Amino acid sequence: MSTEPRTLLGKPWSVLRTSVPVLALAVSQAFAPSALADTTEGTDQSRATPAQAIAESLTESPVHVDPAYQDAFSTEARERVAERITESDLDLYVIVVPLTGGDTWNGESEALASAVHDRMGGGEGHYLIHNGSGDLDGHDLGTASDDWSKPAFHGALTASYETMGGQSLIPTEVEVAVEAALSDDPEAAYETAMDAYHEKSGTGGPSGPAPAMDPALLNLGAVVLMGAVGVGLCLFLVRARRRSAAPARRGGRRSAPIAQHAAFDNADRARLETVVQSGAHDLIELGERLQAADLIDPQNLSRALDARDAAARVHDRMVAEGPTLPDAVGVLVLLDLAEDALAGRRTPRRPCYANPLHGTGTKPTQWREFGGSRTIRVPLCAECARAVRGRVRPTVLPDHHDGSEIPYFEVPAKESVWSATGYGTLREDLVERVLRGDHAGRR
């Protein structure tokens, strides 16, 4: 991604849609762990992010337990699990931390695994993450997309089946998961545990015999089906009669109405897809350049990683829930902040407040509200600055609110992190807000 002011039009985006597994692999590329280490005596350790602190802990032991669960996971049990992992050849790590919505990772174990994996040096890593409340997840990062062994994933599933139906302790779940993950065939261990659970519970398992249907319900279903067929047939006959009675047009064929808004919808859809694709491309490119970088100031690297993590989190949410233009633009803005951190800029570049797609070649401009006397001073591109000076509304970035399309900055701040921060032009805590999950407040 170029450090020149970002302009969407004219940039040769050549990357097509990126699948979730490929993106997860690409944006989690390796970073040299030596670049993360403190090289100056007396460095302020309090500035380490939670992900950094966990990563540093895992360099000393493959088992990290949050102080909140020290009593629930005894030292003896941790040493036993750590020794078992150390004896193996698998880069397996256990993380036991509280995860709740609104925390640094918004309660998502995958986001935690990805952030820690980046700071562990990338490559291949397998993470068993326990939230302390009975939920154990496994994430295998840096593996080939067609690798179905996934030891951490199947290890966590194995533990869930073997401990299901009873009150299990954290050490028990973790030890079962670790043993399954380190076995010769983690997937087979999971299937064995699943079959055993279904046999014990009498459910018959996924492929077990289906329970016999009550004859009364079968008869009722047949009656309902016959009624539906009859109603459908009647509707078909009525519509056929109406069509035959309608006057012939243009040789007996009725002309279909033309959707006049289709062209605009297609253009909006194409623009959204282009912005999403460019964000996916830049996420990959940034990861590759970070991997190749030799000397990066640790503080600048940390800021860049946080901004990239925030961008990846917004992008992953779009992949899971469907893209929106404000979110897609947010990914690009966050990646620009990551670029600024890598470049060591004390003051990051500011995108155009009216529409960040206009680029970062902006100047602070007085913008007077229409029909009022209040003014704000915001960064605007040259075109938008001319518009507001001429008392003309600039071409703003749209968003949807209550069924209407309005400028993104008119969405209530409590419902949109983008309007609350002006994409970082009004507040400097955009990255922190996204990392704590503010971007997920409204769809």
Side-chain angles (χ1 to χ4, degrees):
M1 181 170 58
S2 171
T3 57
E4 294 299 320
R6 182 195 300 281
T7 302
L8 179 63
L9 297 179
K11 186 169 182 178
W13 307 119
S14 59
V15 175
L16 298 177
R17 293 187 178 184
T18 308
S19 62
V20 177
V22 175
L23 177 62
L25 167 64
V27 300
S28 301
Q29 290 296 315
F31 307 105
S34 59
L36 296 174
D38 291 327
T39 56
T40 304
E41 190 171 342
T43 300
D44 186 5
Q45 296 293 335
S46 64
R47 293 186 180 181
T49 63
Q52 278 182 288
I54 295 175
E56 292 173 0
S57 172
L58 292 177
T59 60
E60 301 177 0
S61 169
V63 180
H64 171 83
V65 179
D66 187 90
Y69 301 116
Q70 294 284 355
D71 295 336
F73 203 158
S74 66
T75 303
E76 294 78 10
R78 280 178 300 196
E79 291 178 349
R80 186 166 58 249
V81 173
E83 183 178 1
R84 178 70 179 91
I85 295 175
T86 304
E87 292 174 349
S88 70
D89 297 327
L90 188 68
D91 291 327
L92 180 66
Y93 304 96
V94 175
I95 303 174
V96 182
V97 295
L99 289 175
T100 57
D103 62 13
T104 304
W105 303 284
N106 198 32
E108 300 174 1
S109 62
E110 185 175 4
L112 166 59
S114 178
V116 172
H117 184 65
D118 285 344
R119 290 154 178 78
M120 288 293 292
E124 181 175 334
H126 309 272
Y127 301 85
L128 289 168
I129 300 179
H130 200 300
N131 67 358
S133 302
D135 293 328
L136 177 64
D137 297 324
H139 301 286
D140 302 271
L141 305 180
T143 59
S145 59
D146 58 349
D147 183 2
W148 293 102
S149 61
K150 300 188 182 304
F153 174 75
H154 289 113
L157 288 178
T158 302
S160 68
Y161 275 107
E162 288 198 11
T163 60
M164 192 178 298
Q167 185 176 5
S168 59
L169 302 176
I170 295 177
T172 303
E173 292 182 84
V174 170
E175 288 189 69
V176 172
V178 168
E179 286 299 329
L182 298 179
S183 66
D184 294 335
D185 192 342
E187 186 175 6
Y190 149 64
E191 292 175 350
T192 301
M194 179 179 60
D195 293 340
Y197 168 77
H198 288 306
E199 182 178 355
K200 180 180 179 180
S201 61
T203 59
S207 58
M213 180 68 72
D214 191 337
L217 293 178
L218 288 174
N219 293 335
L220 178 60
V223 172
V224 173
L225 179 61
M226 292 176 63
V229 172
V231 172
L233 181 59
C234 291
L235 290 175
F236 173 77
L237 293 175
V238 170
R239 290 177 178 173
R241 176 169 295 183
R242 287 179 178 175
R243 284 196 298 268
S244 62
R249 299 182 183 179
R250 295 185 182 180
R253 299 185 60 184
R254 301 182 64 183
S255 58
I258 299 176
Q260 298 294 333
H261 60 274
F264 295 94
D265 289 344
N266 291 337
D268 289 343
R269 189 176 299 109
R271 176 177 60 168
L272 175 58
E273 291 178 355
T274 301
V275 178
V276 172
Q277 290 168 10
S278 67
H281 173 272
D282 287 357
L283 276 169
I284 297 172
E285 184 185 7
L286 178 60
E288 292 174 346
R289 287 192 290 108
L290 278 172
Q291 180 184 9
D294 294 329
L295 298 176
I296 301 178
D297 179 76
Q299 291 187 1
N300 292 340
L301 178 63
S302 178
R303 288 169 49 214
L305 285 170
D306 286 343
R308 191 208 62 81
D309 284 349
R313 191 169 300 187
V314 176
H315 187 278
D316 290 345
R317 177 169 174 260
M318 290 194 300
V319 172
E321 302 180 16
T324 65
L325 186 59
D327 283 351
V329 173
V331 172
L332 301 183
V333 172
L334 290 166
L335 288 173
D336 277 342
L337 293 177
E339 291 280 5
D340 291 338
L342 287 179
R345 293 190 178 94
R346 294 181 178 273
T347 302
R349 296 168 295 168
R350 299 299 185 188
C352 177
Y353 173 76
N355 190 334
L357 289 177
H358 293 171
T360 55
T362 60
K363 291 183 179 180
T365 306
Q366 290 292 126
W367 188 352
R368 180 179 176 182
E369 67 176 338
F370 294 99
S373 58
R374 293 185 303 174
T375 61
I376 56 174
R377 187 174 180 82
V378 291
L380 295 176
C381 67
E383 182 178 352
C384 290
R386 285 194 299 269
V388 298
R389 283 195 294 265
R391 304 296 293 157
V392 177
R393 181 182 290 275
T395 304
V396 299
L397 181 71
D399 195 358
H400 291 275
H401 183 259
D402 288 342
S404 301
E405 185 175 88
I406 60 176
Y408 84 90
F409 46 72
E410 292 183 3
V411 176
K414 63 181 180 180
E415 299 182 27
S416 170
V417 69
W418 314 124
S419 64
T421 64
Y423 284 95
T425 62
L426 302 178
R427 305 178 63 98
E428 298 182 355
D429 59 349
L430 174 61
V431 172
E432 289 77 9
R433 286 172 176 251
V434 172
L435 288 177
R436 75 187 185 199
D438 286 11
H439 67 289
R442 176 182 67 91
R443 291 297 290 175

